C-alpha cells in the first residue's frame, strides 16, 4: 500500500511539474507577444510610439463628441481616449452602433499630415446591457448621462 | 452509475422547464437593448454556450487529471462522453457570436484575443476527440488524450481574462466582475434560466452517453470472452481481459 501511495504521489508530481512549466512557457510567450495580441492601439499609444506613415494598423477609442462631419459617403471624426486624439477619415457604410461617444476600432494608415485614413470601421460594444425603455425614461428624467455612459467615461 | 441514473430525471426536467422559461422570457418577455435592439437576444444562446464550452473543458481536464494520477475508471468515460458535447457548444458559441458580430461590430470575425482563444478551445476539443480515438485498441488513446486535455487547461484563464489583459473588440465581462453585473435585471433573469437549462442539458446528455459507453465496453468484453470460449488456443489472452472485466464490474456496479 505504501508503495502504491508513493507511485501516486510521483505521478502527481510529474503532472504538476509538467503543467507548471508549460503554463510558465505560455505565460512568458504571451507576455513577450503582448503588443502583437492587442487588436488595436489607442490614440495615446499611436502618438507615443510614433507609428510610421503608410503602416497599416488598427486604431481604437471613443468617437469624440461633436467631431463627426459627413460629406457624401465620407465621414470624418476624431478617435479619442480622453488624453489624445487622432483625426480619421472613412469612406463607406458605418456599422449601426456608430455614433458620438461610441467605442470604435478602425483599420487603416496614417498619412504624413497625421490623418488616419480608415478602410474599415468596427463599432465596439461595451459591457452594459439596458432595456431601451429604461434608457428612454432616464433620458426624459435627465439622469441618463450621469449613469451608464458617465461611468464609462470616467474609467 | 446509480447516482447518474438518479440524476437523469432531474436533468431532463430541469432542461425542459428552465430552457422553456428561458426561451419564453428571452424571446417574448424581455426588453430589447438600448443599443443593440432585438439582436441582444442572441446573448441568451451565446453566453450559455460559451459557458458550457469552457465548463465542460474543465470537467474533461479534471477527469484527465484523476485518470492520470488515480487511474479512476469512470474518469476516462466521463471525459470521453463529454468531449463532443463541449465541441458542439463551443462551435455554437462561435457561430452565434459571429451572427451577432456582423450587425453590431460590422464584421463576422476579427482576430482578437477572446475570439482566437475560443477558436483554440474548439481545436483542443477536436484534437482531444481525434487523439482518444486514434488507436485501434480501445483505451490506448486515453493517456495521450488526457495529457493533451491538461495542456489545454492554460487556455481557460486566457479565454476568461483575454478581455482584460489585451485590447479586444469583444466587450469585457458583464456578469462575473468585481462591481456586479452590468446587465439589467430583466435581461439577466432569462439568461440565468438559460444557463441552468443548458447545464441540465449537459448533465442529461452526459448520463445518456455514459450509459452507452458502458454498454459498449460491456459488449466489447462479452464479445472478447465469447471469442475466447470458441477458441481455446487464445488462452494466453484470457489474463489480458481479466482487468477489463473487473473494470466493467466496477463501473457497472
Amino acid at each position: 500500500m505504501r508503495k502504491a501511495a508513493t507511485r501516486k504521489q510521483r505521478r502527481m508530481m510529474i503532472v504538476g511539474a509538467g503543467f507548471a512549466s508549460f503554463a510558465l512557457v505560455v505565460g512568458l510567450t504571451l507576455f513577450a507577444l503582448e503588443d502583437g495580441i492587442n487588436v488595436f492601439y489607442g490614440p495615446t499609444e499611436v502618438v507615443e510610439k510614433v507609428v510610421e506613415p503608410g503602416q497599416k494598423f488598427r486604431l481604437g477609442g471613443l468617437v469624440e463628441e461633436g467631431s463627426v462631419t459627413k460629406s457624401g459617403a465620407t465621414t470624418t471624426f476624431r478617435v479619442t481616449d480622453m488624453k489624445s486624439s487622432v483625426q480619421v477619415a472613412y469612406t463607406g457604410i458605418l456599422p449601426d452602433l456608430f455614433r458620438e461617444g461610441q467605442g470604435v476600432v478602425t483599420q487603416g494608415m496614417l498619412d504624413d499630415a497625421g490623418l488616419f485614413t480608415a478602410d474599415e470601421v468596427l463599432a465596439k460594444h461595451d459591457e452594459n446591457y439596458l432595456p431601451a425603455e429604461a434608457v428612454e425614461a432616464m433620458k426624459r428624467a435627465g439622469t441618463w448621462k450621469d449613469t451608464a455612459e458617465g461611468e464609462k467615461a470616467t474609467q | 452509475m446509480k447516482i447518474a441514473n438518479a440524476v437523469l430525471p432531474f436533468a431532463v426536467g430541469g432542461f425542459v422547464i428552465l430552457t422553456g422559461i428561458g426561451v419564453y422570457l428571452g424571446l417574448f418577455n424581455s426588453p430589447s437593448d438600448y443599443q443593440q435592439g432585438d439582436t441582444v437576444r442572441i446573448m441568451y444562446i451565446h453566453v450559455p454556450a460559451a459557458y458550457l464550452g469552457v465548463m465542460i473543458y474543465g470537467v474533461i481536464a479534471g477527469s484527465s487529471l484523476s485518470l492520470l494520477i488515480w487511474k479512476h475508471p469512470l474518469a476516462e468515460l466521463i471525459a470521453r462522453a463529454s468531449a463532443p458535447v463541449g465541441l458542439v457548444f463551443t462551435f455554437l458559441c462561435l457561430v452565434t457570436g459571429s451572427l451577432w458580430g456582423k450587425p453590431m461590430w460590422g464584421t463576422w470575425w476579427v482576430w482578437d484575443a477572446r475570439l482566437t482563444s475560443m477558436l483554440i478551445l474548439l481545436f483542443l476539443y477536436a484534437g482531444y476527440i481525434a487523439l482518444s480515438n486514434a488507436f485501434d485498441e480501445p483505451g490506448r488513446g486515453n493517456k495521450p488524450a488526457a495529457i493533451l486535455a491538461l495542456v489545454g487547461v492554460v487556455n481557460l484563464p486566457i479565454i476568461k481574462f483575454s478581455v482584460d489583459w489585451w485590447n479586444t473588440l469583444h466587450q469585457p465581462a458583464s456578469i462575473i466582475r468585481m462591481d456586479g453585473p452590468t446587465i439589467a435585471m430583466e435581461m439577466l433573469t432569462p439568461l440565468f434560466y438559460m444557463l441552468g437549462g443548458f447545464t441540465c442539458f449537459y448533465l442529461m446528455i452526459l448520463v445518456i452517453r455514459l450509459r452507452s459507453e458502458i454498454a459498449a465496453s460491456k459488449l466489447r468484453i462479452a464479445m472478447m470472452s465469447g471469442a475466447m470460449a470458441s477458441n481455446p488456443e487464445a488462452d494466453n489472452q484470457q489474463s489480458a481481459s481479466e482487468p477489463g472485466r473487473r473494470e466493467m464490474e466496477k463501473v457497472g456496479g
Side-chain angles (χ1 to χ4, degrees), chain B residues 211-221:
Chain B
R211 275 184 182 169
S212 69
E213 287 270 350
I214 288 167
S217 72
K218 273 183 185 166
L219 192 65
R220 214 160 37 225
I221 291 159

Side-chain angles (χ1 to χ4, degrees), chain B residues 152-225:
Chain B
V153 169
V154 280
N155 194 29
L156 297 189
I158 294 176
I159 293 174
K160 169 69 187 141
F161 296 111
S162 53
V163 287
D164 303 325
W165 291 342
W166 300 289
N167 292 334
T168 55
L169 188 60
H170 194 285
Q171 57 267 37
S174 290
I175 305 171
I176 307 171
R177 47 184 288 144
M178 300 290 271
D179 51 355
T182 53
I183 301 180
M185 209 53 217
E186 303 95 302
M187 298 175 175
L188 208 52
T189 312
L191 184 56
F192 277 131
Y193 276 115
M194 291 302 275
L195 284 167
F198 271 48
T199 309
C200 289
F201 178 79
Y202 164 58
L203 286 177
M204 178 180 96
I205 294 290
L206 177 65
V207 171
I208 294 171
R209 285 184 56 86
L210 271 179
R211 275 184 182 169
S212 69
E213 287 270 350
I214 288 167
S217 72
K218 273 183 185 166
L219 192 65
R220 214 160 37 225
I221 291 159
M223 274 166 73
M224 251 155 65
S225 47

Side-chain angles (χ1 to χ4, degrees), chain A residues 46-65:
Chain A
V46 172
V47 171
E48 275 172 4
K49 290 193 176 167
V50 198
V51 184
E52 298 267 313
Q55 199 187 336
K56 206 164 197 180
F57 68 98
R58 282 206 173 102
L59 167 73
L62 299 177
V63 179
E64 201 171 279
E65 300 281 343

